[in-house]
Amino acid sequence: MIDYSPFWKTLEASEENWYTLTSKHHMSHSTLHRLKHNKDISTKTLNDLCRILNCQVIDILQYIPADTDQIL
């Protein structure tokens, strides 16, 4: 399972917030909602967030093994 809890900590430590991400950087409310609920986002969105927050991917997401992961 991909978990976006590191994103919220990174966002809180930055000078950005939900409002600036949507108004200044034109991120959709839907994208932020998806992050809040650990739903899929695109690698383009990850790239944009890393650029905006001046961080690495690890500062936005982490992988947590889960029983609900698909069987390979």
Side-chain angles (χ1 to χ4, degrees):
M1 172 178 92
I2 300 298
D3 174 56
Y4 294 107
S5 58
F7 165 73
W8 300 104
K9 293 174 187 170
T10 302
L11 182 62
E12 188 175 313
S14 78
E15 295 179 3
E16 304 294 342
N17 57 43
W18 186 298
Y19 177 78
T20 62
L21 289 177
T22 57
S23 64
K24 179 181 174 185
H25 300 289
H26 309 290
M27 298 209 83
S28 72
H29 289 277
S30 173
T31 296
L32 295 175
H33 184 270
R34 296 185 70 73
L35 285 162
K36 185 176 183 181
H37 296 282
N38 290 323
K39 301 293 183 187
D40 294 339
I41 62 170
S42 71
T43 53
K44 180 193 177 304
T45 299
L46 285 173
N47 185 73
D48 292 345
L49 288 171
C50 288
R51 182 180 44 80
I52 292 165
L53 299 174
N54 191 28
C55 67
Q56 299 296 313
V57 173
I58 196 168
D59 300 319
I60 295 176
L61 62 85
Q62 63 183 343
Y63 171 71
I64 300 173
D67 292 338
T68 56
D69 288 345
Q70 82 179 37
I71 297 173
L72 300 175

